[in-house]
Amino acid sequence: MPLFSFKEPADLSRAQGALEATWRLLKPLLDDPDLEREHARLTFIIASLVPA
């Protein structure tokens, strides 16, 4: 469930903020070849948690 699937602006904003904050913490810990894949995984994780 990618972030663009949200219809409510508040949900999208909350998910985007969580993604950006979490990515800032995780990115330095990852190897360059994994960045795109791990960013996509994180996006799906956060998108699945927003309704909760």
Side-chain angles (χ1 to χ4, degrees), residues 33-45:
D34 297 331
L35 288 179
E36 188 174 330
R37 182 188 67 207
E38 295 304 321
H39 189 270
R41 283 179 51 179
L42 181 61
T43 301
F44 277 87
I45 291 168

Side-chain angles (χ1 to χ4, degrees), residues 4 36 40 44-46 48 50:
F4 64 81
E36 188 174 330
F44 277 87
I45 291 168
I46 289 176
S48 70
V50 168

Side-chain angles (χ1 to χ4, degrees), residues 1-18:
M1 173 188 305
L3 297 183
F4 64 81
S5 65
F6 292 113
K7 293 181 175 74
E8 294 295 324
D11 290 341
L12 179 59
S13 179
R14 188 169 41 250
Q16 189 65 41

